[in-house]
């Protein structure tokens, strides 16, 4: 099989090498999966550069989520050969390979109606947004949800999941194309943060009350300004810090405006409560079948083009998810 290997740290286009390796053997408790699609995440770039919170020793293969077909199972497995699944391979042997061997607890059966690219694009982004909005924020029908970076992977999922719960959606994005994408995804109002003030627009659209739930994967100035347009009893969801700066949150402001700053660490939640991640996955499959969610895909790339695809992702001019097809 072919597999992308990082032997030294640096930018993906400089350090990724396409190698021919043996197909993994089958072990008890693991599944051998033929990969149909792998999705790319920004942290794949950081892994190559040695800047991610996880620092696997070289050589390693990046790639955190795949869709594929089970080709072999271990003794006594609850899975069956031929099932279509999504999986999250663990470092140092990630998903940017033609075949992967993955522990059973990291594998989830998918609907036959999902395309490989949709399936590979779905797991991390929709699980994160579902956990954030439904579990941590307990968003209710009729509430106002402000989604930052609405054309991104987690942001696009948050728009759809908020809409599925009956919330009014206000989304921010950079530039006319991404603003239109947010509207196409279901946003009631989409704001171009490059030319418009989202604080003023949120206050205007809510008669000065503010957003009940704010979904923030950006941090930095976006977090600071979000505190100015959050409603009484609001929930400000801390998803990540794509903007680079980790903001500070003055406790007196949260007290005066009576809002909650809510951390969203889905990865740890999944490790602590794997059975709940399975329940979320099953609910997401149902929402997909109902036509309420559909992954936003920027482009499908050939497997040999992984380094150039990661370069495109690094430029941050993309939307949704980038997918690689072996």
């Amino acid at each position: 099989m072919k597999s992308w290997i990082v032997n030294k740290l640096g930018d993906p286009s400089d350090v990724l090498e396409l190698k021919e390796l043996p197909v993994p053997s089958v072990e008890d408790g693991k599944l051998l999966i033929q990969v149909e699609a792998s999705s790319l995440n920004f942290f794949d770039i950081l892994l190559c550069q040695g800047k991610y919170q996880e620092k696997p020793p070289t050589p390693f293969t990046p790639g955190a989520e795949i869709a594929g077909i089970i080709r072999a199972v271990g003794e006594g497995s609850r899975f069956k050969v031929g099932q279509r699944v999504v999986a999250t391979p663990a470092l140092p042997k990630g998903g940017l390979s033609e075949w992967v061997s993955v522990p059973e607890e990291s594998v989830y059966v998918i609907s036959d109606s999902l395309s490989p690219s949709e399936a590979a694009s779905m797991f991390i982004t929709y699980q994160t947004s579902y956990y954030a909005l439904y579990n941590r924020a307990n968003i209710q029908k009729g509430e106002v949800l402000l989604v930052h970076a609405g054309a991104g992977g987690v942001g696009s999922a948050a728009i759809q999941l908020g809409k599925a719960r009956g919330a009014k959606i206000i989304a921010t994005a950079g530039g006319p194309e991404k603003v239109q994408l947010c509207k196409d995804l279901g946003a009631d109002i989409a704001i171009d943060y490059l030319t418009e003030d989202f604080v003023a627009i949120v206050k205007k659209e809510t008669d000065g009350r503010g957003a009940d739930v704010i979904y923030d994967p950006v941090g930095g100035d976006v977090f600071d300004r979000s505190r100015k347009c959050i409603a009484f009893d609001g929930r400000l969801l801390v998803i990540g810090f794509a903007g680079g700066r980790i903001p500070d949150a003055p406790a007196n402001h949260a007290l005066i405006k009576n809002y909650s700053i809510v951390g969203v660490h889905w990865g740890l939640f999944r490790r602590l409560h794997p059975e709940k991640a399975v329940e979320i996955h099953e609910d997401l499959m149902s929402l997909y079948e109902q036509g309420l969610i559909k992954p936003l895909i920027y482009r499908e790339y050939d497997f040999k083009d992984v380094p150039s695809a990661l370069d495109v992702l690094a430029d941050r001019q993309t939307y949704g998810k980038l997918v690689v097809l072996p």
Side-chain angles (χ1 to χ4, degrees):
M1 69 171 188
K2 291 184 175 63
S3 183
W4 284 100
I5 304 293
V6 175
N7 280 305
K8 60 180 180 179
L9 300 178
D11 291 334
S13 55
D14 294 330
V15 301
L16 278 167
E17 299 179 55
L18 190 57
K19 298 279 191 178
E20 196 78 35
L21 300 175
V23 173
S25 58
V26 183
E27 304 172 46
D28 287 347
K30 290 188 175 183
L31 305 171
L32 180 63
I33 300 171
Q34 184 178 9
V35 178
E36 292 186 293
S38 304
S39 74
L40 301 178
N41 291 282
F42 195 80
F43 56 74
D44 291 321
I45 300 168
L46 300 178
L47 275 169
C48 292
Q49 296 170 334
K51 297 178 180 177
Y52 192 55
Q53 57 208 35
E54 292 185 58
K55 294 179 171 58
T58 56
F60 66 86
T61 296
E65 50 188 339
I66 62 101
I69 301 170
I70 297 174
R71 296 303 187 194
V73 301
E75 186 73 27
S77 175
R78 61 188 173 89
F79 291 91
K80 298 177 182 177
V81 171
Q83 284 183 310
R84 298 182 67 235
V85 294
V86 293
T88 53
L91 295 168
K93 296 181 180 180
L96 290 177
S97 296
E98 293 179 322
W99 295 75
V100 294
S101 176
V102 184
E104 290 195 1
E105 61 268 22
S106 300
V107 180
Y108 305 79
V109 177
I110 60 173
S111 164
D112 285 336
S113 58
L114 269 170
S115 73
S117 292
E118 288 174 331
S121 301
M122 196 168 198
F123 190 76
I124 292 175
T125 52
Y126 282 83
Q127 282 264 343
T128 298
S129 294
Y130 185 109
Y131 174 60
L133 294 174
Y134 293 5
N135 293 44
R136 299 293 285 145
N138 191 27
I139 195 166
Q140 300 295 308
K141 181 178 180 179
E143 288 192 311
V144 175
L145 168 63
L146 171 61
V147 178
H148 289 301
V154 290
S156 59
I159 289 174
Q160 295 176 338
L161 288 167
K163 199 70 177 176
R165 189 54 66 93
K168 176 180 179 178
I169 312 296
I170 303 175
T172 69
E177 180 187 15
K178 292 183 178 181
V179 165
Q180 185 58 50
L181 281 170
C182 291
K183 292 177 180 177
D184 295 342
L185 289 165
D188 299 284
I189 298 154
I191 301 165
D192 185 347
Y193 65 74
L194 297 176
T195 59
E196 300 176 288
D197 177 7
F198 74 81
V199 174
I201 294 173
V202 169
K203 287 182 176 180
K204 177 185 175 186
E205 294 293 338
T206 59
D207 295 323
R209 199 173 61 83
D212 299 291
V213 178
I214 300 180
Y215 184 98
D216 178 21
V218 181
D221 293 346
V222 168
F223 178 91
D224 295 339
R225 292 187 56 72
S226 292
R227 295 190 293 103
K228 299 179 181 299
C229 62
I230 192 163
F232 187 86
D233 278 344
R235 288 85 79 201
L236 177 44
L237 297 169
V238 180
I239 310 299
F241 312 105
R245 179 174 66 85
I246 298 175
D248 294 318
N252 64 322
H253 193 261
L255 184 153
I256 291 167
K257 293 193 71 175
N258 207 61
Y259 64 87
S260 303
I261 298 167
V262 184
V264 180
H265 189 171
W266 167 77
L268 181 57
F269 162 77
R270 178 193 178 195
R271 286 196 293 274
L272 293 174
H273 305 288
E275 74 289 350
K276 293 182 180 178
V278 173
E279 292 173 6
I280 291 175
H281 174 73
E282 291 171 351
D283 200 17
L284 287 169
M285 289 299 98
S286 175
L287 290 168
Y288 178 85
E289 294 288 0
Q290 295 172 58
L292 295 173
I293 60 174
K294 183 179 176 66
L296 177 65
I297 297 172
Y298 175 75
R299 183 179 161 187
E300 297 173 336
Y301 290 84
D302 189 271
F303 191 67
K304 70 179 188 303
D305 296 325
V306 164
S308 57
L310 286 172
D311 284 345
V312 172
L313 183 59
D315 287 340
R316 296 183 181 271
Q317 299 303 309
T318 62
Y319 56 79
K321 296 282 281 186
L322 283 66
V323 180
V324 175
L325 304 178

